[in-house]
Amino acid sequence: MWRIFCNFARLFLIFMWKIYHQSIPECISALTQSPAMLRLQDVGMHCGCEYTAFPMFEGQRKYSRYDHSVGCALIVWHYTEDVRQAVAALLHDIATPTFAHVIDFLNGDHLRQESTEVGTREIIEQDDQIMAQLKEYHLGVDEVADYHQYPIADNDSPRLSADRLEYTLSNIINYHIGDEASVRGWYENLVVGRNEENETEMMFSDFRAAEGFALASLKTSYIYIADEDRFAMQTLAELLRRHIARGVLSRQDLYQTEQSVIGKLATDREAWEDWNRYRALHLIWRNSDHPQAKVICSKRRYIDPYVQGQGRVSALSTEYAEQLKRFLEMDMEEPLWGE
């Protein structure tokens, strides 16, 4: 079953996918080969930061929206065995533009980071292969175009869902926060149950596992709002805005692949110089007095998992509660500059 991925999946991804579920069901594997899904192989999860020279992003494994989407689908299938929910999870990022949440910065939606979800239904309907597969499985577009309707696939932050779980576990490994044994142990401790509001949610059966995961996940949360991350995303957004205005790029180009966008930048001398300056970013200063330094805020992503029959980790663990408080109070109001 895994052989269909051999040409493009790396051992790390196969390892992660096998943690999520031992085999890939046909309802998922058939859809992974559609043109709209395959495009996501060249849309990164690191939102363009991996192209910079900031040390924190050096040596990152290639981790794409495609990798993430397959992982989400496998998690949902593992815990529900529901074709509708698994397919909705697989397709949830299908409208993601190049450089992902950088485009939220471009759109002025960097605090919510939801503008890149627009267009999912249209892309599904325009992909003949996806539509044929949906018909084969007797699925309507309404059942798979909005994964928010399925709480195992997605729910309100800071609850745990397949979407948050997948990128958190992958980045715990990517950034060397935890090891593979820990990731496997946390995943195997998860169950589906009812939370404090009697709503369905993925949750931990053991407090210690929940606390360990919560503390590790909070370390990834700091990465998503690190000075380097915010500055890189804002800088790339400004680069794209400038060269869209100049006619080097179009908005539609952002819905192709990252390599195609970079290729277009390479055709224009000024754009290519800007891109190479972006690639060279390696230092960051806080409270900079540089005339172009700016305050850059961003969405705070974190998970406060539920322990079955006990409550949220923040209410059960003093250590996590204190660390979460520090995270939520982290200052993002200081002007940043980088080079």
Side-chain angles (χ1 to χ4, degrees), residues 269-337:
R269 180 177 176 179
E270 183 178 336
W272 193 237
E273 289 175 351
D274 278 353
W275 174 251
N276 284 320
R277 276 192 292 271
Y278 175 76
R279 291 291 312 274
L281 288 174
H282 64 287
L283 291 173
I284 198 84
W285 289 275
R286 272 195 160 210
N287 282 320
S288 173
D289 58 1
H290 190 283
Q292 296 181 35
K294 63 190 66 181
V295 172
I296 306 169
C297 296
S298 186
K299 181 178 180 178
R300 297 179 195 262
R301 299 174 181 270
Y302 69 97
I303 302 171
D304 187 5
Y306 192 80
V307 183
Q308 192 172 35
Q310 298 182 54
R312 298 281 163 192
V313 173
S314 61
L316 302 172
S317 168
T318 300
E319 181 180 3
Y320 179 70
E322 291 175 350
Q323 292 197 24
L324 178 59
K325 183 175 183 291
R326 285 196 291 271
F327 170 74
L328 294 175
E329 292 175 347
M330 178 181 162
D331 183 15
M332 286 192 280
E333 298 296 327
E334 295 175 310
L336 301 177
W337 182 248

Side-chain angles (χ1 to χ4, degrees), residues 10 12-13 46 50 59-64 170 173-176 180:
R10 293 156 302 285
F12 168 71
L13 291 167
H46 299 301
E50 70 272 33
Q60 285 295 311
R61 296 181 178 94
K62 181 175 174 57
Y63 178 32
S64 72
S170 289
I173 297 292
N174 286 338
Y175 289 98
H176 310 291
E180 296 173 358

Side-chain angles (χ1 to χ4, degrees), residues 101-108 110 233-234 237 241 296 298:
H101 291 301
V102 165
I103 310 307
D104 289 319
F105 279 74
L106 178 65
N107 294 339
H110 51 285
M233 292 176 73
Q234 180 66 38
R241 180 182 294 110
I296 306 169
S298 186

Side-chain angles (χ1 to χ4, degrees), residues 150-207:
Y150 304 118
I152 301 304
D154 184 62
N155 52 26
D156 292 334
S157 178
R159 297 176 180 181
L160 185 60
S161 65
D163 185 10
R164 291 186 197 95
L165 178 66
E166 199 294 317
Y167 67 67
T168 300
L169 291 180
S170 289
N171 282 328
I172 284 172
I173 297 292
N174 286 338
Y175 289 98
H176 310 291
I177 292 167
D179 58 23
E180 296 173 358
S182 296
V183 165
R184 186 182 295 276
W186 293 325
Y187 188 75
E188 292 176 352
N189 192 258
L190 290 167
V191 296
V192 172
R194 294 283 180 173
N195 62 23
E196 67 271 42
E197 296 180 1
N198 199 33
E199 296 177 343
T200 303
E201 185 178 348
M202 297 180 69
M203 58 188 63
F204 287 88
S205 58
D206 176 74
F207 163 69

Side-chain angles (χ1 to χ4, degrees), residues 53-60 174-175 222-224 226-229:
F54 286 123
M56 68 183 296
F57 301 118
E58 285 186 336
Q60 285 295 311
N174 286 338
Y175 289 98
Y222 275 104
I223 293 169
Y224 308 146
D227 294 346
E228 293 88 343
D229 186 281

